[in-house]
Amino acid sequence: MTEDTGREEPKPRATDRGLAPERTALAWLRMALSLLVVMLVLARFVAHLNVVLAVAAAGLAIPLSATVGVAAWQRFMRAARGFNAGGQLPDGVLPAALTALAALMGVVGIGYVLLA
Amino acid sequence: VEYVAAHGGSDDRENDRPRRWPARVYGVGTEPDPRFTLANERTFLAWLRTSLALMAAGVGIAAVGIDGRPILRYVIAIALLLAGVACSVAAFGLWMATERALRMGRPLPSPRLAPLLGYGLALVGVLTLILLLAP
């Protein structure tokens, strides 16, 4: 028995292009979390070698991953606008910056293994 | 740039929009379906997270106290960390190449690092097994 209660399930509109911006924003947030965790783990191990360096790395990890989180949100807003209104999608500056940061972390890791 | 002119593309400059970086990507071709661009971005992030996981595994192997065979442990740790660095650099290269291919309507590049990474990780797994079983 169906009764019209005036409440309907939301239906995807014909113009709806899907949830790609949302999935991308979640991928960026996972990236921020991974960055935080790996940087803190790295800092923990570096503490065996040099406590000051480790504290500095841990202190840097929190604002850096927070910045990635904020940037993820801004990118999402921009991507959603570009997606629905034909605007510009975000460019390659943040991907390049994160790549450089990840490579730097790898080098720090190699330094730790060589010195430990 | 010639390509854009030839195809009457939607280059940022022509449409009076802010220029995007890198020009190597945004200077060619036309704007692809935004869903493809976003899928490319997610793939880049997945590669970068993989590189972080490799690095974490490398530091973990070096730091965890396993008795005996320090050389083998050392080799595994350095191999994982180098794989992580290679993976992060390759991630951005692949992102650029894919975005260019999308903009120019060409076939997507293949991730050349993927088979190397797969077989390499299998080897690291075997070495780790040796490390654990035959101290």
Side-chain angles (χ1 to χ4, degrees):
Chain A
M1 240 185 102
T2 52
E3 194 179 331
D4 187 11
T5 58
R7 278 171 27 178
E8 283 178 43
E9 287 292 311
K11 292 191 185 71
R13 284 164 290 144
T15 54
D16 198 338
R17 304 183 74 183
L19 298 171
E22 197 168 315
R23 281 202 298 279
T24 310
L26 288 170
W28 276 103
L29 285 181
R30 278 198 303 279
M31 188 71 231
L33 281 179
S34 313
L35 199 64
L36 181 64
V37 169
V38 174
M39 278 189 86
L40 287 179
V41 167
L42 211 57
R44 179 66 190 83
F45 286 130
V46 170
H48 295 308
L49 301 176
N50 188 329
V51 178
V52 178
L53 197 68
V55 171
L60 211 63
I62 295 160
L64 267 178
S65 36
T67 305
V68 174
V70 170
W73 173 248
Q74 286 173 346
R75 271 179 94 83
F76 169 66
M77 297 295 279
R78 192 167 167 199
R81 267 200 302 274
F83 198 63
N84 292 315
Q88 263 185 347
L89 291 183
D91 71 358
V93 173
L94 192 60
L98 268 189
T99 301
L101 184 62
L104 180 70
M105 284 163 66
V107 172
V108 170
I110 291 172
Y112 164 74
V113 173
L114 290 180
L115 293 175
Chain B
V1 180
E2 295 83 25
Y3 189 91
V4 173
H7 287 71
S10 62
D11 181 47
D12 293 344
R13 249 168 319 165
E14 283 181 22
N15 294 356
D16 221 15
R17 288 167 159 179
R19 296 279 296 277
R20 283 175 292 176
W21 186 88
R24 200 180 123 69
V25 169
Y26 295 103
V28 297
T30 56
E31 209 62 29
D33 186 322
R35 282 173 293 189
F36 300 161
T37 297
L38 291 174
N40 182 27
E41 197 168 304
R42 289 197 295 278
T43 308
F44 158 76
L45 289 170
W47 273 101
L48 207 60
R49 277 199 303 277
T50 304
S51 92
L52 287 186
L54 286 166
M55 292 171 192
V59 173
I61 290 262
V64 166
I66 303 169
D67 295 331
R69 291 188 193 266
I71 305 232
L72 184 56
R73 221 176 71 194
Y74 193 78
V75 167
I76 295 173
I78 294 287
L80 283 169
L81 280 157
L82 284 177
V85 174
C87 204
S88 67
V89 173
F92 189 67
L94 193 65
W95 175 82
M96 281 206 297
T98 304
E99 198 63 24
R100 266 173 75 88
L102 283 174
R103 296 182 69 85
M104 295 169 78
R106 289 188 182 164
L108 298 185
S110 67
R112 281 187 218 118
L113 203 64
L116 208 67
L117 200 62
Y119 290 123
L121 278 181
L123 184 65
V124 165
V126 170
L127 290 177
T128 310
L129 207 63
I130 293 172
L131 182 68
L132 291 176
L133 292 182

